Amino acid sequence: EAQVTQNPRYLITVTGKKLTVTCSQNMNHEYMSWYRQDPGLGLRQIYYSMNVEVTDKGDVPEGYKVSRKEKRNFPLILESPSPNQTSLYFCASSTFRGGYQNTGELFFGEGSRLTVL
Amino acid sequence: GENVEQHPSTLSVQEGDSAVIKCTYSDSASNYFPWYKQELGKRPQLIIDIRSNVGEKKDQRIAVTLNKTAKHFSLHITETQPEDSAVYFCAASIIQGAQKLVFGQGTRLTINP
């Protein structure tokens, strides 16, 4: 079954304790991205990756890191979480490869709800 | 950068009636406009999209219209059903080398029986 898998789905942590949210897709997509969803703010892009070892900042990258060492995996790293990073996080992948002819539907994971105390 | 405004934030309609959600965007270079539906506790899923070279697109009970001059686009749902209750997100993107979708704030649509 084609899917994007995120772990953990729920996490409560404390300020400053490093954590990683994993994301894996089995659709051989080149494009992957992380979003955070907050009430009244919609979905905001944190980082995205066009291919292995190619990553770039989205609209709200502060406080986050990513890596893309393998095509299928795109982990989100919070080196020193703070309460303002409490949010619902979505990983997504897409068939997008660049260029006007290929728009690329985003396939989202089930989301990871993070609470930072 | 691109900014997308979505209205209304909440919408309640009677079952069988139509619902319209509107979005405006700021960057005239944007050329791809998808709509995503997120049911309660679920992930967002693409329901329809439109490119800037098209003014309208339909798929059964849903349609999207685009006015490039005014920089706004709308989602129309006709003959609404209870399963249409969800949060709907519009988005805008410039398809050019990288995909940076900018989403609107979302509209919570409730269909009343």
mmCIF file with all atom_site columns, all heavy atoms in Angstrom, chain B residues 68-92:
data_model
loop_
_atom_site.group_PDB
_atom_site.id
_atom_site.type_symbol
_atom_site.label_atom_id
_atom_site.label_alt_id
_atom_site.label_comp_id
_atom_site.label_asym_id
_atom_site.label_entity_id
_atom_site.label_seq_id
_atom_site.pdbx_PDB_ins_code
_atom_site.Cartn_x
_atom_site.Cartn_y
_atom_site.Cartn_z
_atom_site.occupancy
_atom_site.B_iso_or_equiv
_atom_site.pdbx_formal_charge
_atom_site.auth_seq_id
_atom_site.auth_comp_id
_atom_site.auth_asym_id
_atom_site.auth_atom_id
_atom_site.pdbx_PDB_model_num
ATOM 1   N N   . LYS B 1 68 ? -7.618  35.211 -12.695 1.00 0.00 ? 68 LYS B N   1
ATOM 2   C CA  . LYS B 1 68 ? -6.218  35.638 -12.608 1.00 0.00 ? 68 LYS B CA  1
ATOM 3   C C   . LYS B 1 68 ? -6.086  37.149 -12.472 1.00 0.00 ? 68 LYS B C   1
ATOM 4   O O   . LYS B 1 68 ? -5.190  37.648 -11.794 1.00 0.00 ? 68 LYS B O   1
ATOM 5   C CB  . LYS B 1 68 ? -5.453  35.170 -13.840 1.00 0.00 ? 68 LYS B CB  1
ATOM 6   C CG  . LYS B 1 68 ? -5.153  33.696 -13.852 1.00 0.00 ? 68 LYS B CG  1
ATOM 7   C CD  . LYS B 1 68 ? -4.091  33.364 -14.883 1.00 0.00 ? 68 LYS B CD  1
ATOM 8   C CE  . LYS B 1 68 ? -4.487  33.782 -16.272 1.00 0.00 ? 68 LYS B CE  1
ATOM 9   N NZ  . LYS B 1 68 ? -3.455  33.450 -17.271 1.00 0.00 ? 68 LYS B NZ  1
ATOM 10  N N   . THR B 1 69 ? -6.966  37.870 -13.098 1.00 0.00 ? 69 THR B N   1
ATOM 11  C CA  . THR B 1 69 ? -6.880  39.337 -13.054 1.00 0.00 ? 69 THR B CA  1
ATOM 12  C C   . THR B 1 69 ? -7.071  39.832 -11.626 1.00 0.00 ? 69 THR B C   1
ATOM 13  O O   . THR B 1 69 ? -6.326  40.681 -11.138 1.00 0.00 ? 69 THR B O   1
ATOM 14  C CB  . THR B 1 69 ? -7.932  39.967 -13.979 1.00 0.00 ? 69 THR B CB  1
ATOM 15  O OG1 . THR B 1 69 ? -7.743  39.466 -15.298 1.00 0.00 ? 69 THR B OG1 1
ATOM 16  C CG2 . THR B 1 69 ? -7.825  41.476 -13.961 1.00 0.00 ? 69 THR B CG2 1
ATOM 17  N N   . ALA B 1 70 ? -8.069  39.263 -10.964 1.00 0.00 ? 70 ALA B N   1
ATOM 18  C CA  . ALA B 1 70 ? -8.367  39.670 -9.592  1.00 0.00 ? 70 ALA B CA  1
ATOM 19  C C   . ALA B 1 70 ? -7.542  38.890 -8.579  1.00 0.00 ? 70 ALA B C   1
ATOM 20  O O   . ALA B 1 70 ? -7.587  39.189 -7.386  1.00 0.00 ? 70 ALA B O   1
ATOM 21  C CB  . ALA B 1 70 ? -9.855  39.479 -9.313  1.00 0.00 ? 70 ALA B CB  1
ATOM 22  N N   . LYS B 1 71 ? -6.831  37.887 -9.026  1.00 0.00 ? 71 LYS B N   1
ATOM 23  C CA  . LYS B 1 71 ? -6.014  37.019 -8.161  1.00 0.00 ? 71 LYS B CA  1
ATOM 24  C C   . LYS B 1 71 ? -6.862  36.373 -7.073  1.00 0.00 ? 71 LYS B C   1
ATOM 25  O O   . LYS B 1 71 ? -6.540  36.459 -5.874  1.00 0.00 ? 71 LYS B O   1
ATOM 26  C CB  . LYS B 1 71 ? -4.820  37.788 -7.586  1.00 0.00 ? 71 LYS B CB  1
ATOM 27  C CG  . LYS B 1 71 ? -3.782  38.136 -8.653  1.00 0.00 ? 71 LYS B CG  1
ATOM 28  C CD  . LYS B 1 71 ? -2.500  38.674 -8.074  1.00 0.00 ? 71 LYS B CD  1
ATOM 29  C CE  . LYS B 1 71 ? -2.664  40.085 -7.606  1.00 0.00 ? 71 LYS B CE  1
ATOM 30  N NZ  . LYS B 1 71 ? -1.419  40.735 -7.191  1.00 0.00 ? 71 LYS B NZ  1
ATOM 31  N N   . HIS B 1 72 ? -7.950  35.766 -7.503  1.00 0.00 ? 72 HIS B N   1
ATOM 32  C CA  . HIS B 1 72 ? -8.690  34.968 -6.539  1.00 0.00 ? 72 HIS B CA  1
ATOM 33  C C   . HIS B 1 72 ? -9.251  33.719 -7.197  1.00 0.00 ? 72 HIS B C   1
ATOM 34  O O   . HIS B 1 72 ? -9.431  33.647 -8.423  1.00 0.00 ? 72 HIS B O   1
ATOM 35  C CB  . HIS B 1 72 ? -9.762  35.778 -5.797  1.00 0.00 ? 72 HIS B CB  1
ATOM 36  C CG  . HIS B 1 72 ? -10.911 36.255 -6.633  1.00 0.00 ? 72 HIS B CG  1
ATOM 37  N ND1 . HIS B 1 72 ? -11.877 35.413 -7.161  1.00 0.00 ? 72 HIS B ND1 1
ATOM 38  C CD2 . HIS B 1 72 ? -11.278 37.498 -6.978  1.00 0.00 ? 72 HIS B CD2 1
ATOM 39  C CE1 . HIS B 1 72 ? -12.765 36.127 -7.811  1.00 0.00 ? 72 HIS B CE1 1
ATOM 40  N NE2 . HIS B 1 72 ? -12.437 37.378 -7.724  1.00 0.00 ? 72 HIS B NE2 1
ATOM 41  N N   . PHE B 1 73 ? -9.468  32.714 -6.387  1.00 0.00 ? 73 PHE B N   1
ATOM 42  C CA  . PHE B 1 73 ? -10.025 31.451 -6.850  1.00 0.00 ? 73 PHE B CA  1
ATOM 43  C C   . PHE B 1 73 ? -10.972 30.908 -5.785  1.00 0.00 ? 73 PHE B C   1
ATOM 44  O O   . PHE B 1 73 ? -10.857 31.260 -4.604  1.00 0.00 ? 73 PHE B O   1
ATOM 45  C CB  . PHE B 1 73 ? -8.924  30.441 -7.203  1.00 0.00 ? 73 PHE B CB  1
ATOM 46  C CG  . PHE B 1 73 ? -7.939  30.129 -6.113  1.00 0.00 ? 73 PHE B CG  1
ATOM 47  C CD1 . PHE B 1 73 ? -7.914  28.868 -5.517  1.00 0.00 ? 73 PHE B CD1 1
ATOM 48  C CD2 . PHE B 1 73 ? -6.992  31.060 -5.693  1.00 0.00 ? 73 PHE B CD2 1
ATOM 49  C CE1 . PHE B 1 73 ? -6.998  28.563 -4.535  1.00 0.00 ? 73 PHE B CE1 1
ATOM 50  C CE2 . PHE B 1 73 ? -6.074  30.763 -4.708  1.00 0.00 ? 73 PHE B CE2 1
ATOM 51  C CZ  . PHE B 1 73 ? -6.074  29.511 -4.131  1.00 0.00 ? 73 PHE B CZ  1
ATOM 52  N N   . SER B 1 74 ? -11.918 30.126 -6.224  1.00 0.00 ? 74 SER B N   1
ATOM 53  C CA  . SER B 1 74 ? -12.995 29.690 -5.328  1.00 0.00 ? 74 SER B CA  1
ATOM 54  C C   . SER B 1 74 ? -13.286 28.208 -5.513  1.00 0.00 ? 74 SER B C   1
ATOM 55  O O   . SER B 1 74 ? -13.145 27.670 -6.610  1.00 0.00 ? 74 SER B O   1
ATOM 56  C CB  . SER B 1 74 ? -14.275 30.479 -5.598  1.00 0.00 ? 74 SER B CB  1
ATOM 57  O OG  . SER B 1 74 ? -14.080 31.863 -5.391  1.00 0.00 ? 74 SER B OG  1
ATOM 58  N N   . LEU B 1 75 ? -13.734 27.595 -4.424  1.00 0.00 ? 75 LEU B N   1
ATOM 59  C CA  . LEU B 1 75 ? -14.191 26.208 -4.431  1.00 0.00 ? 75 LEU B CA  1
ATOM 60  C C   . LEU B 1 75 ? -15.706 26.220 -4.279  1.00 0.00 ? 75 LEU B C   1
ATOM 61  O O   . LEU B 1 75 ? -16.241 26.873 -3.386  1.00 0.00 ? 75 LEU B O   1
ATOM 62  C CB  . LEU B 1 75 ? -13.563 25.424 -3.285  1.00 0.00 ? 75 LEU B CB  1
ATOM 63  C CG  . LEU B 1 75 ? -13.992 23.966 -3.147  1.00 0.00 ? 75 LEU B CG  1
ATOM 64  C CD1 . LEU B 1 75 ? -13.425 23.127 -4.289  1.00 0.00 ? 75 LEU B CD1 1
ATOM 65  C CD2 . LEU B 1 75 ? -13.562 23.394 -1.796  1.00 0.00 ? 75 LEU B CD2 1
ATOM 66  N N   . HIS B 1 76 ? -16.382 25.494 -5.162  1.00 0.00 ? 76 HIS B N   1
ATOM 67  C CA  . HIS B 1 76 ? -17.837 25.413 -5.123  1.00 0.00 ? 76 HIS B CA  1
ATOM 68  C C   . HIS B 1 76 ? -18.224 23.951 -4.909  1.00 0.00 ? 76 HIS B C   1
ATOM 69  O O   . HIS B 1 76 ? -17.785 23.076 -5.663  1.00 0.00 ? 76 HIS B O   1
ATOM 70  C CB  . HIS B 1 76 ? -18.447 25.905 -6.435  1.00 0.00 ? 76 HIS B CB  1
ATOM 71  C CG  . HIS B 1 76 ? -18.033 27.290 -6.817  1.00 0.00 ? 76 HIS B CG  1
ATOM 72  N ND1 . HIS B 1 76 ? -18.871 28.385 -6.722  1.00 0.00 ? 76 HIS B ND1 1
ATOM 73  C CD2 . HIS B 1 76 ? -16.853 27.775 -7.286  1.00 0.00 ? 76 HIS B CD2 1
ATOM 74  C CE1 . HIS B 1 76 ? -18.234 29.466 -7.118  1.00 0.00 ? 76 HIS B CE1 1
ATOM 75  N NE2 . HIS B 1 76 ? -17.009 29.128 -7.469  1.00 0.00 ? 76 HIS B NE2 1
ATOM 76  N N   . ILE B 1 77 ? -19.039 23.714 -3.896  1.00 0.00 ? 77 ILE B N   1
ATOM 77  C CA  . ILE B 1 77 ? -19.564 22.375 -3.645  1.00 0.00 ? 77 ILE B CA  1
ATOM 78  C C   . ILE B 1 77 ? -21.069 22.443 -3.763  1.00 0.00 ? 77 ILE B C   1
ATOM 79  O O   . ILE B 1 77 ? -21.725 23.220 -3.050  1.00 0.00 ? 77 ILE B O   1
ATOM 80  C CB  . ILE B 1 77 ? -19.171 21.851 -2.253  1.00 0.00 ? 77 ILE B CB  1
ATOM 81  C CG1 . ILE B 1 77 ? -17.654 21.935 -2.041  1.00 0.00 ? 77 ILE B CG1 1
ATOM 82  C CG2 . ILE B 1 77 ? -19.657 20.403 -2.080  1.00 0.00 ? 77 ILE B CG2 1
ATOM 83  C CD1 . ILE B 1 77 ? -17.209 21.547 -0.635  1.00 0.00 ? 77 ILE B CD1 1
ATOM 84  N N   . THR B 1 78 ? -21.636 21.690 -4.671  1.00 0.00 ? 78 THR B N   1
ATOM 85  C CA  . THR B 1 78 ? -23.085 21.679 -4.847  1.00 0.00 ? 78 THR B CA  1
ATOM 86  C C   . THR B 1 78 ? -23.687 20.432 -4.191  1.00 0.00 ? 78 THR B C   1
ATOM 87  O O   . THR B 1 78 ? -22.985 19.447 -3.930  1.00 0.00 ? 78 THR B O   1
ATOM 88  C CB  . THR B 1 78 ? -23.456 21.688 -6.340  1.00 0.00 ? 78 THR B CB  1
ATOM 89  O OG1 . THR B 1 78 ? -22.867 20.538 -6.960  1.00 0.00 ? 78 THR B OG1 1
ATOM 90  C CG2 . THR B 1 78 ? -22.935 22.942 -7.026  1.00 0.00 ? 78 THR B CG2 1
ATOM 91  N N   . GLU B 1 79 ? -24.977 20.521 -3.907  1.00 0.00 ? 79 GLU B N   1
ATOM 92  C CA  . GLU B 1 79 ? -25.729 19.397 -3.315  1.00 0.00 ? 79 GLU B CA  1
ATOM 93  C C   . GLU B 1 79 ? -24.951 18.781 -2.148  1.00 0.00 ? 79 GLU B C   1
ATOM 94  O O   . GLU B 1 79 ? -24.667 17.583 -2.130  1.00 0.00 ? 79 GLU B O   1
ATOM 95  C CB  . GLU B 1 79 ? -26.011 18.337 -4.388  1.00 0.00 ? 79 GLU B CB  1
ATOM 96  C CG  . GLU B 1 79 ? -26.812 18.870 -5.564  1.00 0.00 ? 79 GLU B CG  1
ATOM 97  C CD  . GLU B 1 79 ? -26.953 17.845 -6.691  1.00 0.00 ? 79 GLU B CD  1
ATOM 98  O OE1 . GLU B 1 79 ? -26.589 16.668 -6.493  1.00 0.00 ? 79 GLU B OE1 1
ATOM 99  O OE2 . GLU B 1 79 ? -27.412 18.253 -7.768  1.00 0.00 ? 79 GLU B OE2 1
ATOM 100 N N   . THR B 1 80 ? -24.602 19.615 -1.200  1.00 0.00 ? 80 THR B N   1
ATOM 101 C CA  . THR B 1 80 ? -23.751 19.169 -0.101  1.00 0.00 ? 80 THR B CA  1
ATOM 102 C C   . THR B 1 80 ? -24.343 17.997 0.664   1.00 0.00 ? 80 THR B C   1
ATOM 103 O O   . THR B 1 80 ? -25.572 17.863 0.809   1.00 0.00 ? 80 THR B O   1
ATOM 104 C CB  . THR B 1 80 ? -23.476 20.324 0.869   1.00 0.00 ? 80 THR B CB  1
ATOM 105 O OG1 . THR B 1 80 ? -24.721 20.899 1.293   1.00 0.00 ? 80 THR B OG1 1
ATOM 106 C CG2 . THR B 1 80 ? -22.623 21.388 0.210   1.00 0.00 ? 80 THR B CG2 1
ATOM 107 N N   . GLN B 1 81 ? -23.419 17.158 1.151   1.00 0.00 ? 81 GLN B N   1
ATOM 108 C CA  . GLN B 1 81 ? -23.793 15.961 1.898   1.00 0.00 ? 81 GLN B CA  1
ATOM 109 C C   . GLN B 1 81 ? -23.027 15.946 3.225   1.00 0.00 ? 81 GLN B C   1
ATOM 110 O O   . GLN B 1 81 ? -22.004 16.622 3.350   1.00 0.00 ? 81 GLN B O   1
ATOM 111 C CB  . GLN B 1 81 ? -23.455 14.724 1.062   1.00 0.00 ? 81 GLN B CB  1
ATOM 112 C CG  . GLN B 1 81 ? -24.183 14.684 -0.278  1.00 0.00 ? 81 GLN B CG  1
ATOM 113 C CD  . GLN B 1 81 ? -23.670 13.590 -1.203  1.00 0.00 ? 81 GLN B CD  1
ATOM 114 O OE1 . GLN B 1 81 ? -22.791 12.811 -0.835  1.00 0.00 ? 81 GLN B OE1 1
ATOM 115 N NE2 . GLN B 1 81 ? -24.216 13.548 -2.405  1.00 0.00 ? 81 GLN B NE2 1
ATOM 116 N N   . PRO B 1 82 ? -23.487 15.186 4.204   1.00 0.00 ? 82 PRO B N   1
ATOM 117 C CA  . PRO B 1 82 ? -22.800 15.161 5.504   1.00 0.00 ? 82 PRO B CA  1
ATOM 118 C C   . PRO B 1 82 ? -21.311 14.851 5.391   1.00 0.00 ? 82 PRO B C   1
ATOM 119 O O   . PRO B 1 82 ? -20.505 15.411 6.150   1.00 0.00 ? 82 PRO B O   1
ATOM 120 C CB  . PRO B 1 82 ? -23.547 14.059 6.264   1.00 0.00 ? 82 PRO B CB  1
ATOM 121 C CG  . PRO B 1 82 ? -24.920 14.086 5.687   1.00 0.00 ? 82 PRO B CG  1
ATOM 122 C CD  . PRO B 1 82 ? -24.725 14.399 4.220   1.00 0.00 ? 82 PRO B CD  1
ATOM 123 N N   . GLU B 1 83 ? -20.933 14.010 4.439   1.00 0.00 ? 83 GLU B N   1
ATOM 124 C CA  . GLU B 1 83 ? -19.521 13.641 4.303   1.00 0.00 ? 83 GLU B CA  1
ATOM 125 C C   . GLU B 1 83 ? -18.662 14.776 3.746   1.00 0.00 ? 83 GLU B C   1
ATOM 126 O O   . GLU B 1 83 ? -17.431 14.665 3.679   1.00 0.00 ? 83 GLU B O   1
ATOM 127 C CB  . GLU B 1 83 ? -19.355 12.393 3.429   1.00 0.00 ? 83 GLU B CB  1
ATOM 128 C CG  . GLU B 1 83 ? -20.019 12.494 2.077   1.00 0.00 ? 83 GLU B CG  1
ATOM 129 C CD  . GLU B 1 83 ? -21.401 11.869 2.067   1.00 0.00 ? 83 GLU B CD  1
ATOM 130 O OE1 . GLU B 1 83 ? -22.114 11.970 3.099   1.00 0.00 ? 83 GLU B OE1 1
ATOM 131 O OE2 . GLU B 1 83 ? -21.764 11.282 1.027   1.00 0.00 ? 83 GLU B OE2 1
ATOM 132 N N   . ASP B 1 84 ? -19.299 15.874 3.353   1.00 0.00 ? 84 ASP B N   1
ATOM 133 C CA  . ASP B 1 84 ? -18.535 17.048 2.925   1.00 0.00 ? 84 ASP B CA  1
ATOM 134 C C   . ASP B 1 84 ? -18.034 17.854 4.123   1.00 0.00 ? 84 ASP B C   1
ATOM 135 O O   . ASP B 1 84 ? -17.211 18.763 3.953   1.00 0.00 ? 84 ASP B O   1
ATOM 136 C CB  . ASP B 1 84 ? -19.386 17.955 2.028   1.00 0.00 ? 84 ASP B CB  1
ATOM 137 C CG  . ASP B 1 84 ? -19.765 17.293 0.717   1.00 0.00 ? 84 ASP B CG  1
ATOM 138 O OD1 . ASP B 1 84 ? -18.972 16.464 0.218   1.00 0.00 ? 84 ASP B OD1 1
ATOM 139 O OD2 . ASP B 1 84 ? -20.864 17.581 0.207   1.00 0.00 ? 84 ASP B OD2 1
ATOM 140 N N   . SER B 1 85 ? -18.536 17.553 5.310   1.00 0.00 ? 85 SER B N   1
ATOM 141 C CA  . SER B 1 85 ? -18.074 18.258 6.512   1.00 0.00 ? 85 SER B CA  1
ATOM 142 C C   . SER B 1 85 ? -16.593 17.974 6.730   1.00 0.00 ? 85 SER B C   1
ATOM 143 O O   . SER B 1 85 ? -16.164 16.820 6.825   1.00 0.00 ? 85 SER B O   1
ATOM 144 C CB  . SER B 1 85 ? -18.869 17.792 7.739   1.00 0.00 ? 85 SER B CB  1
ATOM 145 O OG  . SER B 1 85 ? -20.207 18.205 7.651   1.00 0.00 ? 85 SER B OG  1
ATOM 146 N N   . ALA B 1 86 ? -15.790 19.029 6.773   1.00 0.00 ? 86 ALA B N   1
ATOM 147 C CA  . ALA B 1 86 ? -14.337 18.897 6.880   1.00 0.00 ? 86 ALA B CA  1
ATOM 148 C C   . ALA B 1 86 ? -13.726 20.295 6.908   1.00 0.00 ? 86 ALA B C   1
ATOM 149 O O   . ALA B 1 86 ? -14.444 21.298 6.803   1.00 0.00 ? 86 ALA B O   1
ATOM 150 C CB  . ALA B 1 86 ? -13.771 18.121 5.688   1.00 0.00 ? 86 ALA B CB  1
ATOM 151 N N   . VAL B 1 87 ? -12.412 20.332 7.048   1.00 0.00 ? 87 VAL B N   1
ATOM 152 C CA  . VAL B 1 87 ? -11.679 21.585 6.861   1.00 0.00 ? 87 VAL B CA  1
ATOM 153 C C   . VAL B 1 87 ? -11.096 21.575 5.452   1.00 0.00 ? 87 VAL B C   1
ATOM 154 O O   . VAL B 1 87 ? -10.492 20.581 5.033   1.00 0.00 ? 87 VAL B O   1
ATOM 155 C CB  . VAL B 1 87 ? -10.548 21.748 7.900   1.00 0.00 ? 87 VAL B CB  1
ATOM 156 C CG1 . VAL B 1 87 ? -9.755  23.023 7.627   1.00 0.00 ? 87 VAL B CG1 1
ATOM 157 C CG2 . VAL B 1 87 ? -11.133 21.787 9.311   1.00 0.00 ? 87 VAL B CG2 1
ATOM 158 N N   . TYR B 1 88 ? -11.289 22.667 4.740   1.00 0.00 ? 88 TYR B N   1
ATOM 159 C CA  . TYR B 1 88 ? -10.802 22.780 3.373   1.00 0.00 ? 88 TYR B CA  1
ATOM 160 C C   . TYR B 1 88 ? -9.684  23.830 3.321   1.00 0.00 ? 88 TYR B C   1
ATOM 161 O O   . TYR B 1 88 ? -9.816  24.925 3.882   1.00 0.00 ? 88 TYR B O   1
ATOM 162 C CB  . TYR B 1 88 ? -11.940 23.180 2.436   1.00 0.00 ? 88 TYR B CB  1
ATOM 163 C CG  . TYR B 1 88 ? -12.960 22.084 2.267   1.00 0.00 ? 88 TYR B CG  1
ATOM 164 C CD1 . TYR B 1 88 ? -13.958 21.890 3.226   1.00 0.00 ? 88 TYR B CD1 1
ATOM 165 C CD2 . TYR B 1 88 ? -12.922 21.224 1.173   1.00 0.00 ? 88 TYR B CD2 1
ATOM 166 C CE1 . TYR B 1 88 ? -14.886 20.873 3.087   1.00 0.00 ? 88 TYR B CE1 1
ATOM 167 C CE2 . TYR B 1 88 ? -13.856 20.206 1.029   1.00 0.00 ? 88 TYR B CE2 1
ATOM 168 C CZ  . TYR B 1 88 ? -14.826 20.040 1.990   1.00 0.00 ? 88 TYR B CZ  1
ATOM 169 O OH  . TYR B 1 88 ? -15.742 19.020 1.864   1.00 0.00 ? 88 TYR B OH  1
ATOM 170 N N   . PHE B 1 89 ? -8.614  23.473 2.645   1.00 0.00 ? 89 PHE B N   1
ATOM 171 C CA  . PHE B 1 89 ? -7.478  24.382 2.479   1.00 0.00 ? 89 PHE B CA  1
ATOM 172 C C   . PHE B 1 89 ? -7.266  24.684 1.002   1.00 0.00 ? 89 PHE B C   1
ATOM 173 O O   . PHE B 1 89 ? -7.198  23.760 0.183   1.00 0.00 ? 89 PHE B O   1
ATOM 174 C CB  . PHE B 1 89 ? -6.181  23.761 3.016   1.00 0.00 ? 89 PHE B CB  1
ATOM 175 C CG  . PHE B 1 89 ? -6.150  23.581 4.504   1.00 0.00 ? 89 PHE B CG  1
ATOM 176 C CD1 . PHE B 1 89 ? -6.424  22.347 5.069   1.00 0.00 ? 89 PHE B CD1 1
ATOM 177 C CD2 . PHE B 1 89 ? -5.824  24.634 5.336   1.00 0.00 ? 89 PHE B CD2 1
ATOM 178 C CE1 . PHE B 1 89 ? -6.384  22.168 6.439   1.00 0.00 ? 89 PHE B CE1 1
ATOM 179 C CE2 . PHE B 1 89 ? -5.778  24.472 6.711   1.00 0.00 ? 89 PHE B CE2 1
ATOM 180 C CZ  . PHE B 1 89 ? -6.065  23.232 7.264   1.00 0.00 ? 89 PHE B CZ  1
ATOM 181 N N   . CYS B 1 90 ? -7.137  25.953 0.685   1.00 0.00 ? 90 CYS B N   1
ATOM 182 C CA  . CYS B 1 90 ? -6.683  26.312 -0.646  1.00 0.00 ? 90 CYS B CA  1
ATOM 183 C C   . CYS B 1 90 ? -5.173  26.526 -0.583  1.00 0.00 ? 90 CYS B C   1
ATOM 184 O O   . CYS B 1 90 ? -4.594  26.664 0.500   1.00 0.00 ? 90 CYS B O   1
ATOM 185 C CB  . CYS B 1 90 ? -7.370  27.582 -1.144  1.00 0.00 ? 90 CYS B CB  1
ATOM 186 S SG  . CYS B 1 90 ? -6.999  29.068 -0.167  1.00 0.00 ? 90 CYS B SG  1
ATOM 187 N N   . ALA B 1 91 ? -4.539  26.539 -1.728  1.00 0.00 ? 91 ALA B N   1
ATOM 188 C CA  . ALA B 1 91 ? -3.100  26.766 -1.779  1.00 0.00 ? 91 ALA B CA  1
ATOM 189 C C   . ALA B 1 91 ? -2.728  27.357 -3.128  1.00 0.00 ? 91 ALA B C   1
ATOM 190 O O   . ALA B 1 91 ? -3.474  27.233 -4.108  1.00 0.00 ? 91 ALA B O   1
ATOM 191 C CB  . ALA B 1 91 ? -2.331  25.462 -1.540  1.00 0.00 ? 91 ALA B CB  1
ATOM 192 N N   . ALA B 1 92 ? -1.588  28.010 -3.148  1.00 0.00 ? 92 ALA B N   1
ATOM 193 C CA  . ALA B 1 92 ? -1.079  28.594 -4.383  1.00 0.00 ? 92 ALA B CA  1
ATOM 194 C C   . ALA B 1 92 ? 0.395   28.277 -4.496  1.00 0.00 ? 92 ALA B C   1
ATOM 195 O O   . ALA B 1 92 ? 1.109   28.183 -3.485  1.00 0.00 ? 92 ALA B O   1
ATOM 196 C CB  . ALA B 1 92 ? -1.311  30.103 -4.409  1.00 0.00 ? 92 ALA B CB  1
#
